[in-house]
């Protein structure tokens, strides 16, 4: 055996195995069943060793979190958490300590629910998480703590169909039904009007948030705030640059052959066209809108320029006449406050009372950005706490 053959065989194997796995992954992804499992990763969770009905495991006070379920228009059962703000909890601690902890078959009978429904000033954040895992997986409980530990905001978080303890199989239409069911419960069961509801999403949850905002504004319902953290413009565009877990490419290797990339993009079933939906939301707003995009500069999964696309689509809806890319960039630069660390805040204002804000923060990556001050401040601005 020659020296050339000695190293050629191991080299061929080392290159052939990952290429073969990637080709297999791409071909399987053309089938709806596998594609949705790859996209939503809803079966990847820790239910085997985590009991979601015991939120105290994640540092919550006894009965601060009430697990319950709600039903969608297509009869799926969606698992949810209602999380009380600690200042409210403290005022009613004795009653809440006496409440039976764990899953509630009838949440309307609980003390925690009554503290939400009976408070005429109660404010609610409806939280839509990203793909994979469940309602309490990874950093998610910490992000709930960030929102509730020192504020007076209630949080409603759900697991989409097929995630965690929820029934069904995920799809774009299905997840929109799930998000709408959460908001319907908040408005019609808990009695919280849209003017006291912020809808917020992270990663995949930004697509759900955008779709839910469009769903309700078509009915004339406008939320006090819409917040998207680590969002993306649409799924086919995202997958051309996306790296799962920050290092596993999806369609990005195909960018060197644009016709091949476009061919495989045609097989993507759930499009999640958030940029178009948000432009629609802005154009239909009749009273007030606080639309916020937050992205970490060091996000290794969804590039921060995806939030640039969302901002452009939303802001273009308030501009008179279409601007090409160069003219829009010039206009945006005027609206932008740049910082010495490379981050920025861009703001667009329009009548009747529309503020669209994009903020690039320096740290936080794809997930930990949820615990940044920028998110809490966005919620405060949405509720008008920045008004003099």
């Amino acid at each position: 055996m020659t020296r050339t053959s000695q190293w050629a065989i191991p080299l061929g194997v080392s290159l052939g195995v990952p290429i073969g796995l990637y080709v297999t992954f791409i071909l399987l992804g053309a089938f709806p069943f596998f594609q949705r499992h790859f996209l939503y990763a809803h079966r990847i969770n820790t239910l085997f060793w985590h009991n979601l009905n015991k939120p105290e495991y994640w540092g919550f006070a006894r009965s601060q979190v009430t697990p319950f379920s709600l039903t969608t228009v297509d009869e799926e059962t969606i698992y949810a958490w209602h999380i009380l703000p600690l200042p409210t909890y403290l005022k009613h601690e004795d009653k809440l300590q006496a409440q039976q902890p764990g899953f509630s078959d009838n949440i309307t009978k609980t003390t925690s629910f009554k503290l939400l429904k009976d408070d005429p000033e109660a404010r609610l954040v409806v939280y839509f998480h990203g793909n994979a895992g469940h309602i309490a997986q990874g950093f998610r409980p910490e992000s709930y703590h960030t929102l509730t530990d020192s504020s007076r905001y209630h949080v409603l978080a759900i697991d989409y169909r097929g995630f965690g303890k929820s029934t069904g199989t995920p799809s774009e239409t299905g997840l929109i039904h799930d998000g709408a069911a959460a908001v319907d419960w908040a408005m019609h069961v808990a009695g919280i009007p849209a003017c006291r509801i912020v809808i917020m999403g992270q990663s995949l949850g930004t697509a759900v948030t955008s779709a839910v905002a469009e769903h309700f504004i078509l009915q004339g319902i406008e939320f006090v705030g819409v917040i998207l953290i680590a969002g993306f413009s649409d799924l086919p565009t995202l997958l051309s640059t996306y790296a799962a877990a920050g290092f596993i490419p999806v369609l990005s290797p195909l960018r060197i052959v644009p016709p091949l990339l476009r061919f495989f993009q045609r097989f993507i079933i759930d499009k999640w066209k958030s940029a178009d939906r948000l432009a629609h939301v802005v154009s239909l707003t009749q009273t007030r809108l606080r639309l916020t995009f937050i992205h970490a500069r060091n996000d290794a999964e969804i590039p921060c320029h995806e939030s640039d696309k969302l901002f452009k689509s939303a802001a273009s809806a308030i501009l008179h006449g279409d601007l090409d890319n160069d003219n829009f960039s010039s206009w945006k630069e005027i609206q932008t406050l740049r910082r010495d660390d490379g981050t920025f805040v861009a703001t667009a204002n329009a009548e009747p009372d529309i503020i669209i804000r994009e903020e690039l923060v320096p740290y936080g990556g794809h997930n930990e950005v949820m615990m940044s001050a920028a998110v809490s401040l966005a919620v405060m601005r949405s509720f008008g706490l920045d008004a003099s």
Side-chain angles (χ1 to χ4, degrees):
M1 181 179 293
T2 65
R3 288 185 178 181
T4 301
S5 62
Q6 286 178 337
W7 60 258
I9 294 175
L11 178 62
V13 171
S14 63
L15 291 176
V17 169
I19 291 174
L21 290 173
Y22 178 75
V23 171
T24 301
F25 169 77
I26 291 297
L27 293 176
L28 286 175
F31 294 90
F33 174 83
F34 292 105
Q35 184 180 132
R36 284 182 166 138
H37 275 270
F38 294 156
L39 169 61
Y40 297 111
H42 51 291
R43 296 302 184 190
I44 302 174
N45 60 55
T46 60
L47 284 180
F48 286 112
W49 60 90
H50 282 153
N51 186 348
L52 300 185
N53 291 329
K54 294 184 177 180
E56 294 80 9
Y57 176 86
W58 291 276
F60 295 100
R62 177 186 170 96
S63 298
Q64 181 188 357
V65 178
T66 305
F68 70 105
S69 63
L70 47 88
T71 304
T72 66
V73 293
D74 55 347
E75 299 300 318
E76 295 294 352
T77 300
I78 302 303
Y79 185 82
W81 275 9
H82 167 220
I83 308 160
L84 283 168
L86 273 183
T88 300
Y89 182 94
L90 182 62
K91 287 185 176 181
H92 305 274
E93 187 171 10
D94 290 343
K95 290 182 179 179
L96 289 163
Q97 287 282 337
Q99 177 178 301
Q100 181 65 36
F103 185 86
S104 175
D105 292 321
N106 187 354
I107 191 174
T108 62
K109 300 294 185 182
T110 64
T111 299
S112 53
F113 174 81
K114 292 172 183 176
L115 291 174
L116 172 63
K117 183 175 178 61
D118 295 344
D119 182 357
E121 301 298 323
R123 296 181 172 113
L124 177 66
V125 177
V126 181
Y127 182 116
F128 299 120
H129 66 63
N131 72 338
H134 51 61
I135 201 168
Q137 193 142 336
F139 69 95
R140 288 166 191 159
E142 187 177 352
S143 68
Y144 308 149
H145 279 291
T146 299
L147 292 169
T148 60
D149 279 358
S150 59
S151 77
R152 295 191 180 275
Y153 312 136
H154 296 250
V155 169
L156 173 64
I158 67 168
D159 262 337
Y160 316 116
R161 63 188 61 205
F163 286 72
K165 291 178 173 293
S166 297
T167 64
T169 302
S171 67
E172 180 170 3
T173 300
L175 267 63
I176 296 171
H177 287 328
D178 302 341
V183 173
D184 279 331
W185 180 90
M187 293 193 299
H188 302 303
V189 179
I192 309 300
C195 64
R196 286 193 274 124
I197 295 175
V198 165
I199 58 173
M200 180 173 74
Q202 183 259 349
S203 193
L204 171 66
T206 65
V208 178
T209 301
S210 303
V212 169
E214 182 186 45
H215 171 84
F216 281 97
I217 205 165
L218 289 170
Q219 303 172 42
I221 297 171
E222 301 176 6
F223 300 104
V224 72
V226 179
I227 303 173
L228 284 74
I229 303 104
F232 57 94
S233 54
D234 64 77
L235 190 60
T237 299
L238 170 66
L239 293 182
S240 66
T241 59
Y242 179 73
F247 65 93
I248 303 173
V250 181
L251 294 182
S252 55
L254 304 181
R255 294 172 65 191
I256 58 175
V257 187
L260 188 60
L261 173 62
R262 290 192 295 271
F263 172 77
F264 278 101
Q265 284 178 325
R266 285 164 34 198
F267 288 91
I268 298 174
I269 302 167
D270 296 337
K271 306 297 185 183
W272 290 113
K273 296 184 177 182
S274 295
D276 293 343
R277 284 172 167 149
L278 291 172
H280 199 196
V281 169
V282 172
S283 66
L284 292 178
T285 295
Q286 297 296 313
T287 57
R288 181 185 185 276
L289 174 64
R290 296 294 182 269
L291 174 58
T292 305
F293 307 106
I294 300 171
H295 220 120
R297 189 174 62 176
N298 65 338
D299 189 330
E301 294 190 37
I302 297 181
C304 57
H305 62 71
E306 283 293 315
S307 282
D308 294 337
K309 297 175 185 176
L310 291 171
F311 179 85
K312 179 182 179 183
S313 183
S316 295
I318 65 175
L319 297 175
H320 298 291
D322 294 329
L323 297 180
D324 59 27
N325 288 337
D326 290 339
N327 286 331
F328 181 85
S329 296
S330 299
W331 174 86
K332 182 181 178 181
E333 190 61 33
I334 298 171
Q335 318 299 318
T336 300
L337 172 64
R338 296 196 175 274
R339 305 177 180 125
D340 57 9
D341 60 357
T343 62
F344 66 84
V345 174
T347 308
N349 299 269
E351 297 294 336
D353 186 10
I354 299 173
I355 300 178
I356 305 169
R357 177 187 174 96
E358 179 190 2
E359 182 167 5
L360 181 69
V361 298
Y363 309 111
H366 187 63
N367 295 324
E368 281 70 25
V369 67
M370 288 299 299
M371 281 71 80
S372 71
V375 174
S376 296
L377 288 169
V379 175
M380 293 178 187
R381 292 188 190 96
S382 296
F383 284 126
L385 301 186
D386 58 337
S388 57

